[in-house]
Amino acid sequence: MNHSDVSSESLILIPVYNEGASIRELVGEIREFFPESPVLVVDDGSRDNSAAEARAGGAMVLRHPFNLGDGAARQTGFLYALRHGYRYLVHLDGDRQHCPREIALFLEFLDRREADLIVGSRFLGRCSYPLSPGRRAGMRIFSLICSLVLRQKITDPTSGFRAMNRRALEIFTSGYYPQHFPDADVIISSHFRGLRIREIPITVSPGWSAGLHRGGTVFYYIYKMLLSTFVSSLRFRRRRTNF
Amino acid sequence: MPFIQKLLAAVLASALLIFIIETVRRRKLREEYAWLWVLVGIVILTLALWPGLLWTITKLLGIELPVNTVFFFGLMFMVFINLHFSVKISELTNQVKRLAQEISILEGGRRGPDVNSEHPGEE
């Protein structure tokens, strides 16, 4: 299989919420670099013109009737990819923090078929990513938890730049996929459900990453992540004794 | 227990039961949620008619005052029914999420081949 086959069989997914200012440009860039890969934008009930802008940029657009959450927006894209027979899916954030050119790294890796879920890590390569001490500590904790559970080094469990094959798509659409903050718990439950996970280095433009985890949600985020990672491992144990 | 109290409790319990059955009949309350309330109505009615039962339970549990037995079970019931509702709300949330996702996919398909349409086709 050559590279262009992988491109044409891959769907590039961008979940967006109020990204009208930048989405058109982002879609345009992706279409330019990867003309063979269809771009799907899932608009998670934006109040701005994200959907129209994305369409103008050349993307297919699915619109949630109301805001469901970043995880749900990704999952809608997964469902679409699965039903339309795509073999691979790459998703990235709509806020321009990810470099569209780097989709090529994911496609290359998918083509090697060594992993089912590929996670782009901003800490694997040149680590020039500025973070507040609190966020850094939080990320360390979740990286550590993931690394311990997987017995494999995971450096960036919160990354929104990931790629997967149909096996992962099936698992993420039939079973549990968190509606909000699909981060460390996705990696851990993927591991328990037998997916092979690899991290590859990416570069991130910090200027753009206002991100979805803001201020007051930090404590909720930590609580939610600890509970759902814990429950993911319990679920797995129970299932294993049943089968 | 004075007769007037007994009467009041019995009347309230009967009214509760009648109200529950009436709302179920009018399809305002679904059967799967009604059973808990029917149970409460029956328990209150039973205790109103045979207050001795409450004394027996109180002694059995080693509680000093019967009213505390009522409070204890009342509180337990509240905790239980709220948990039950949380589970139901979670279920509904999941269903609403899935519906919204399906609608967006259906609507996306209905718009026809949009700007780019290189679908690899079903495999």
Side-chain angles (χ1 to χ4, degrees):
Chain A
M1 179 188 270
N2 64 40
H3 193 266
S4 76
D5 281 341
V6 183
S7 308
S8 62
E9 288 181 300
S10 303
L11 181 69
I12 296 170
L13 167 69
I14 315 167
V16 296
Y17 180 59
N18 295 338
E19 303 283 6
S22 60
I23 188 63
R24 184 176 185 166
E25 204 184 331
L26 177 62
V27 171
E29 262 176 60
I30 296 173
R31 300 279 300 146
E32 193 183 313
F33 293 141
F34 308 94
E36 289 178 45
S37 306
V39 179
L40 175 70
V41 169
V42 177
D43 174 12
D44 192 16
S46 297
R47 277 161 299 172
D48 68 358
N49 57 347
S50 296
E53 283 290 302
R55 231 172 249 131
M60 299 178 279
V61 177
L62 299 181
R63 290 199 72 175
H64 286 169
F66 37 80
N67 185 249
L68 288 176
D70 49 347
R74 278 187 207 166
Q75 201 187 34
T76 302
F78 299 165
L79 272 172
Y80 183 92
L82 209 56
R83 292 191 187 158
H84 288 81
Y86 291 97
R87 292 182 64 177
Y88 306 109
L89 179 141
V90 183
H91 66 75
L92 63 158
D93 290 348
D95 56 8
R96 307 229 57 203
Q97 64 164 303
H98 297 133
C99 173
R101 216 183 273 270
E102 289 180 342
I103 291 171
L105 304 173
F106 289 88
L107 295 179
E108 226 168 79
F109 215 92
L110 284 168
D111 200 16
R112 281 195 246 159
R113 300 181 187 190
E114 286 166 8
D116 304 299
L117 174 66
I118 301 158
V119 181
S121 167
R122 69 200 109 163
F123 303 121
L124 261 188
R126 288 154 287 156
C127 179
S128 60
Y129 190 76
L131 276 172
S132 69
R135 277 186 69 167
R136 185 169 285 272
M139 279 183 179
R140 282 253 169 82
I141 291 170
F142 289 111
S143 310
L144 188 69
I145 293 174
C146 283
S147 306
L148 286 175
V149 173
L150 270 69
R151 294 197 184 86
Q152 169 190 339
K153 198 176 175 214
I154 298 293
T155 57
D156 193 1
T158 63
S159 171
F161 203 170
R162 297 180 184 176
M164 63 200 70
N165 59 17
R166 275 186 84 84
R167 207 172 145 220
L169 286 174
E170 269 156 20
I171 285 177
F172 292 157
T173 47
S174 62
Y176 169 76
Y177 195 80
Q179 187 167 356
H180 304 279
F181 311 131
D183 296 338
D185 47 350
V186 168
I187 291 180
I188 287 176
S189 65
S190 305
H191 167 72
F192 282 140
R193 287 187 272 189
L195 295 181
R196 297 162 301 166
I197 301 156
R198 291 287 178 282
E199 273 193 331
I200 61 171
I202 54 164
T203 45
V204 167
S205 330
W208 297 99
S209 102
L212 291 143
H213 325 304
R214 249 174 263 112
T217 61
V218 166
F219 290 104
Y220 173 76
Y221 177 81
I222 292 174
Y223 146 78
K224 188 256 166 187
M225 208 46 77
L226 286 175
L227 183 64
S228 66
T229 45
F230 177 63
V231 170
S232 298
S233 31
L234 287 183
R235 269 194 196 132
F236 170 68
R237 287 209 186 98
R238 201 182 50 204
R239 196 167 293 162
R240 204 163 52 167
T241 51
N242 284 350
F243 285 80
Chain B
M1 189 169 171
F3 176 73
I4 189 78
Q5 275 186 23
K6 206 169 163 174
L7 187 70
L8 186 69
V11 167
L12 281 177
S14 311
L16 180 67
L17 273 174
I18 291 167
F19 180 73
I20 294 162
I21 289 162
E22 180 59 16
T23 42
V24 173
R25 191 188 67 80
R26 284 202 234 147
R27 301 276 176 259
K28 280 188 175 174
L29 180 63
R30 294 172 64 95
E31 292 87 340
E32 67 251 45
Y33 299 104
W35 70 271
L36 275 168
W37 296 110
V38 172
L39 192 71
V40 171
I42 290 171
V43 168
I44 297 176
L45 192 64
T46 313
L47 290 177
L49 297 177
W50 292 285
L53 196 60
L54 183 60
W55 281 99
T56 316
I57 297 167
T58 308
K59 268 194 208 125
L60 266 176
L61 293 176
I63 299 171
E64 290 215 355
L65 289 172
V67 68
N68 286 333
T69 314
V70 175
F71 285 149
F72 174 70
F73 283 106
L75 208 65
M76 288 290 287
F77 172 74
M78 285 303 166
V79 169
F80 176 72
I81 202 159
N82 276 312
L83 202 62
H84 177 71
F85 286 154
S86 298
V87 170
K88 287 290 170 189
I89 291 170
S90 301
E91 222 176 276
L92 289 172
T93 308
N94 284 335
Q95 288 171 349
V96 169
K97 182 192 97 173
R98 197 52 173 239
L99 276 176
Q101 290 179 314
E102 294 290 347
I103 284 174
S104 68
I105 291 174
L106 277 177
E107 206 203 348
R110 203 168 49 84
R111 286 182 67 91
D114 233 32
V115 183
N116 60 34
S117 53
E118 303 99 314
H119 287 207
E122 310 289 329
E123 278 159 44

